[in-house]
Amino acid sequence: MKKLFFIAAIAGAALVSCTKNELAPSVTEQQEISFANPVMSTATKVAEVANDYSKSLHFGVWAHFYDQTTDLSKYTTFAGGEVYMNNVEVEYVDGVKGWKNATTPYFWPKNGSLTFIAYSPYGATGAGVDANGIKFTDYVVGDATDQDDLLFSERAYDKKAVDQPTSAADPYAGVQLNFKHALSSIMFKVKAAGNYPGHTLKVIKVEILNAYSKGTFSQGLGDNGTAVTADPAINPGWSGQSVERTYVAYDNTTGIELHPTNVKFLHSGSVDATDNTTDLILLPQSLKHTETSEVIVKVTYTLQNGDMSSPIEQVGEIKLATGNAGGYFGGIESWQRGKRY
């Protein structure tokens, strides 16, 4: 009898021990993949472009799976794993854990890891991925009323559910994506060069002529043997720029009256009082295309004095690459991605 009680006691101890060492929910249950609020990288030259990612935007995500036998230290291309998420649309879902696909859940694998890469906005022309990262093939920049802040992310490399950032409010904050700007931001501000007593000057239209509108972007990621995402040192990515067109930065028949001490910022056919508004988001490019073609800024304005019954229209043009001897554009020869001019 004593022996039976002894065996029962041992069994009971073992059961108690098992209940105290239950596997954590993150291991026993499939955890859904979600994303933290995207981070926007800042510009290093000229001026910053806007760096707040709007919750109204959707972005596209690829994820590649690597099993536990993969030597991740030798990872060299984004084509090295098995596709786990294929251009999945991600959006902010209010009331849940941030950013995810609104209709289809995607879960973390229990073994192995995922590497993520993304772009924005979802459905951008020519968006795809290859061994070197995000691509936009034959991307076309529309006019001022049809432009997107085209973005691509660094890789979120070798991620597992248990590795994700945490916060005091939420034990799972989601995969962090770091977005970069693929295009250039062009804005205008105007004022009179001096006092013109008895005369009224008004700007009524500002245009950019001969700007390329179509090109192909390749992220060109390289690892240099360290398996760490590296942004190319050169201002990359864009090639095959073509199709010259005119972009209208401002057009208003009422016009903006110019004064020598009052700077006005132009924005999409209106006047904006701040200096951090994007006018146009255009293709990075050399400002001199060929010997006979280069990017030109054209300004249409009106002039009127007290003896005139109505104003007369005037036009001024400057070639940005070769017409800047007066220092208006600081010797800039090209628009680079992620920079505001």
Side-chain angles (χ1 to χ4, degrees):
M1 182 65 96
K2 290 181 179 180
K3 186 174 182 181
L4 289 174
F5 278 129
F6 177 75
I7 294 172
I10 294 294
L15 289 172
V16 170
S17 176
C18 287
T19 58
K20 287 183 178 179
N21 291 279
E22 289 179 328
L23 293 175
S26 61
V27 177
T28 60
E29 299 175 6
Q30 292 294 133
Q31 188 171 4
E32 188 174 357
I33 296 171
S34 65
F35 298 86
N37 193 59
V39 173
M40 305 283 284
S41 63
T42 57
T44 56
K45 294 180 180 179
V46 189
E48 293 183 2
V49 291
N51 288 302
D52 293 326
Y53 191 84
S54 171
K55 289 181 178 179
S56 66
L57 293 174
H58 296 194
F59 57 86
V61 172
W62 280 269
H64 281 202
F65 170 78
Y66 297 84
D67 64 35
Q68 292 179 319
T69 63
T70 303
D71 184 358
L72 293 173
S73 67
K74 295 181 179 180
Y75 175 78
T76 56
T77 73
F78 193 68
E82 180 180 349
V83 175
Y84 194 83
M85 298 174 72
N86 186 15
N87 196 15
V88 171
E89 183 175 7
V90 172
E91 62 185 279
Y92 182 79
V93 181
D94 196 19
V96 299
K97 294 181 179 180
W99 300 76
K100 53 187 277 187
N101 184 277
T103 57
T104 303
Y106 286 81
F107 295 96
W108 287 97
K110 291 183 178 181
N111 301 305
S113 68
L114 297 175
T115 291
F116 298 87
I117 201 166
Y119 73 98
S120 176
Y122 180 78
T125 303
V129 67
D130 63 11
N132 301 115
I134 293 292
K135 288 193 72 174
F136 301 109
T137 302
D138 291 335
Y139 184 82
V140 176
V141 178
D143 59 27
T145 61
D146 183 27
Q147 293 189 336
D148 294 310
D149 189 3
L150 188 65
L151 306 170
F152 62 96
S153 81
E154 295 180 351
R155 280 180 309 207
Y157 170 77
D158 188 20
K159 300 299 181 183
K160 305 177 181 68
V162 295
D163 296 333
Q164 299 316 301
T166 61
S167 66
D170 188 345
Y172 176 73
V175 178
Q176 185 69 70
L177 295 172
N178 183 20
F179 278 116
K180 297 176 179 291
H181 300 273
L183 300 175
S184 304
S185 173
I186 315 300
M187 65 178 297
F188 293 91
K189 57 184 179 181
V190 296
K191 72 173 184 177
N195 286 306
Y196 303 96
H199 292 72
T200 300
L201 298 173
K202 289 185 177 182
V203 170
I204 60 173
K205 193 171 188 178
V206 177
E207 301 165 274
I208 296 179
L209 312 181
N210 306 334
Y212 283 145
S213 62
K214 182 179 180 179
T216 292
F217 174 82
S218 179
Q219 189 170 2
L221 289 174
D223 295 305
N224 301 318
T226 63
V228 175
T229 295
D231 193 30
I234 61 171
N235 180 56
W238 288 98
S239 63
Q241 291 96 326
S242 62
V243 188
E244 292 182 347
R245 63 168 294 174
T246 295
Y247 289 97
V248 179
Y250 176 79
D251 188 7
N252 193 320
T253 55
T254 301
I256 299 174
E257 187 171 347
L258 302 181
H259 303 279
T261 58
N262 188 3
V263 177
K264 298 286 188 178
F265 294 89
L266 310 182
H267 173 57
S268 299
S270 63
V271 182
D272 193 299
T274 66
D275 63 355
N276 60 357
T277 303
T278 300
D279 282 83
L280 295 171
I281 305 176
L282 302 183
L283 202 68
Q285 60 193 276
S286 170
L287 298 178
K288 186 175 178 61
H289 298 165
T290 66
E291 289 300 317
T292 58
S293 176
E294 60 185 276
V295 180
I296 294 172
V297 168
K298 178 181 178 181
V299 179
T300 303
Y301 64 100
T302 60
L303 169 66
Q304 186 174 16
N305 61 36
D307 294 331
M308 301 169 64
S309 60
S310 60
I312 58 174
E313 187 175 286
Q314 306 284 283
V315 175
E317 294 185 357
I318 186 167
K319 297 179 178 180
L320 296 190
T322 60
N324 60 359
Y328 299 110
F329 301 98
I332 294 171
E333 297 180 352
S334 64
W335 292 330
Q336 298 184 14
R337 66 170 178 84
K339 305 297 188 295
R340 167 172 280 174
Y341 300 93

